[in-house]
C-alpha cells in the first residue's frame, strides 16, 4: 500500500504519476508552441498577401493585368465575328507620341461596315470621372482613327452612380469586372452596339433610311434591356438582403 501511495502522489517528482504528468505537460507545451508558430506563420503570410494585393491595386501592375484580361476578352469576341483585334496600348497612334487607345477592333471585310474601327480604352488603377473618360475616349478615337469608342471602367474604380452600360453619342461607357462573369454581358453588348453604330454611320452615308431606322431601333432596344438587367440585379440583391433580415428576425 505504501508503494502504491508513493507512485500515485504528485509530491514526489519520481513517482509514476508525477512522471506521467510531466510527460503530458511537455507534450502539451510542445503542441502549444507549434500551434503558436503555425498561427504566426499563417498571419504573416496573410498579411503579405493583403499587402501585395493593396500594392497591386495602387500600382500600374494592377492596371496592366486588367488591360490584359480585357484584351483577351475582346480578342475572343472579335475572332467569333471574323473581325480583327489589335492591342495598341504600347504603340503611338495618329497623334505623335500619343498612346491613348488600348485596343482596336477592325470590322471584317464581309461586315456591312467592313474596315471601320472601334477603339477601346480601359482604366482600373485609378478613379476617372465620366467627363475625363469622355475626353480620353474622344482622343482615343482620333488617335486610332476610329469612328466609335468604348471606355471600360473597372468595377472598383468606376464613378459612383454610373450605370454598367451607358451610351453618349458615338461613345460607350461600360463597367466590367474580370473576376465577375456576370459583367461580361455589358462588355459583350458594348462590342455589339459599337458595331451597330458603325453600321448606322455607313447607312447614313449611303442615305439608306430603312437600315438607319432599323439599326437605331435595335440599339435602343438593347440599351433598354441592359438597363432592365441592371435593375433586376439590384432587385435581386435587395430581395436577398431583406430575406436574410426576415430570416434573422424569425
Amino acid at each position: 500500500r505504501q508503494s502504491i501511495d508513493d507512485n500515485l502522489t504528485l509530491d514526489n517528482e519520481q513517482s509514476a504519476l508525477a512522471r506521467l504528468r510531466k510527460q503530458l505537460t511537455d507534450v502539451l507545451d510542445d503542441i502549444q508552441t507549434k500551434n503558436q508558430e503555425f498561427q504566426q506563420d499563417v498571419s504573416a503570410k496573410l498579411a503579405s498577401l493583403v499587402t501585395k494585393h493593396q500594392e497591386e491595386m495602387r500600382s500600374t501592375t494592377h492596371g496592366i493585368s486588367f488591360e490584359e484580361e480585357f484584351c483577351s476578352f475582346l480578342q475572343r469576341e472579335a475572332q467569333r465575328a471574323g473581325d480583327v483585334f489589335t492591342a495598341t496600348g504600347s504603340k503611338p497612334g495618329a497623334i505623335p507620341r500619343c498612346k491613348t487607345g488600348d485596343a482596336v477592333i477592325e470590322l471584317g471585310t464581309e461586315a456591312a461596315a467592313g474596315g471601320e474601327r472601334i477603339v477601346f480604352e480601359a482604366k482600373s488603377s485609378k478613379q476617372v470621372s465620366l467627363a475625363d473618360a469622355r475626353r480620353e475616349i474622344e482622343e482615343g478615337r482620333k488617335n486610332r482613327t476610329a469612328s466609335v469608342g468604348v471606355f471600360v471602367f473597372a468595377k472598383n474604380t468606376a464613378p459612383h452612380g454610373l450605370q454598367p452600360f451607358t451610351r453618349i453619342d458615338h461613345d460607350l461607357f461600360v463597367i466590367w469586372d474580370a473576376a465577375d462573369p456576370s459583367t461580361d454581358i455589358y462588355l459583350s453588348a458594348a462590342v455589339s452596339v459599337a458595331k451597330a453604330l458603325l453600321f448606322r454611320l455607313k447607312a447614313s452615308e449611303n442615305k439608306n433610311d430603312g437600315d438607319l431606322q432599323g439599326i437605331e431601333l435595335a440599339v435602343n432596344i438593347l440599351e433598354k434591356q441592359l438597363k432592365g438587367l441592371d435593375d433586376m440585379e439590384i432587385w435581386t440583391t435587395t430581395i436577398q438582403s431583406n430575406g436574410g433580415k426576415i430570416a434573422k428576425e424569425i
Side-chain angles (χ1 to χ4, degrees), residues 2-190:
Q2 183 62 42
S3 176
I4 291 172
D5 291 342
D6 290 342
N7 279 289
L8 293 181
T9 182
L10 294 175
D11 297 330
N12 181 7
E13 293 182 357
Q14 300 303 319
S15 71
L17 188 60
R19 293 198 305 274
L20 177 62
R21 185 181 70 169
K22 185 178 184 306
Q23 290 175 353
L24 288 173
T25 301
D26 291 343
V27 169
L28 290 173
D29 288 343
D30 184 55
I31 290 174
Q32 185 175 6
T33 300
K34 290 181 177 178
N35 187 38
Q36 289 176 344
E37 291 175 351
F38 173 75
Q39 289 180 357
Q40 290 172 354
D41 184 51
V42 170
S43 297
K45 288 181 178 178
L46 284 174
S48 176
L49 288 172
V50 170
T51 301
K52 182 181 177 182
H53 177 68
Q54 290 174 341
E55 288 176 352
E56 287 180 348
M57 293 295 290
R58 288 194 299 266
S59 69
T60 55
T61 304
H62 177 72
I64 292 171
S65 175
F66 179 83
E67 181 183 317
E68 289 173 349
E69 290 282 354
F70 114 99
C71 280
S72 296
F73 184 94
L74 293 178
Q75 188 170 27
R76 292 192 297 270
E77 289 288 309
Q79 288 175 346
R80 275 198 292 266
D83 300 322
V84 179
F85 169 84
T86 307
T88 56
S90 61
K91 303 173 183 177
I95 302 173
R97 297 185 296 279
C98 179
K99 297 181 180 179
T100 306
D102 293 319
V104 169
I105 288 181
E106 183 176 318
L107 272 59
T109 54
E110 295 184 1
E116 292 292 332
R117 295 155 66 91
I118 308 165
V119 64
F120 296 81
E121 178 71 23
K123 278 289 181 292
S124 68
S125 58
K126 63 179 181 178
Q127 193 160 19
V128 179
S129 68
L130 181 59
D132 289 339
R134 291 186 66 184
R135 284 191 288 268
E136 191 161 350
I137 198 62
E138 181 180 2
E139 182 180 67
R141 280 191 279 108
K142 294 175 182 177
N143 193 40
R144 304 300 176 185
T145 59
S147 300
V148 176
V150 179
F151 194 99
V152 183
F153 293 97
K155 194 171 184 179
N156 59 329
T157 59
H160 180 69
L162 182 68
Q163 294 289 330
F165 184 94
T166 303
R167 175 167 70 106
I168 303 175
D169 198 12
H170 293 157
D171 296 321
L172 305 166
F173 302 88
V174 180
I175 299 175
W176 180 67
D177 184 358
D180 183 3
S182 69
T183 63
D184 288 353
I185 189 171
Y186 297 113
L187 187 50
S188 181

Side-chain angles (χ1 to χ4, degrees), residues 165 185-186 189 221-231:
F165 184 94
I185 189 171
Y186 297 113
I221 289 173
L222 183 53
E223 284 187 283
K224 186 176 180 181
Q225 289 176 337
L226 289 169
K227 177 63 169 60
L229 182 65
D230 183 50
D231 289 339

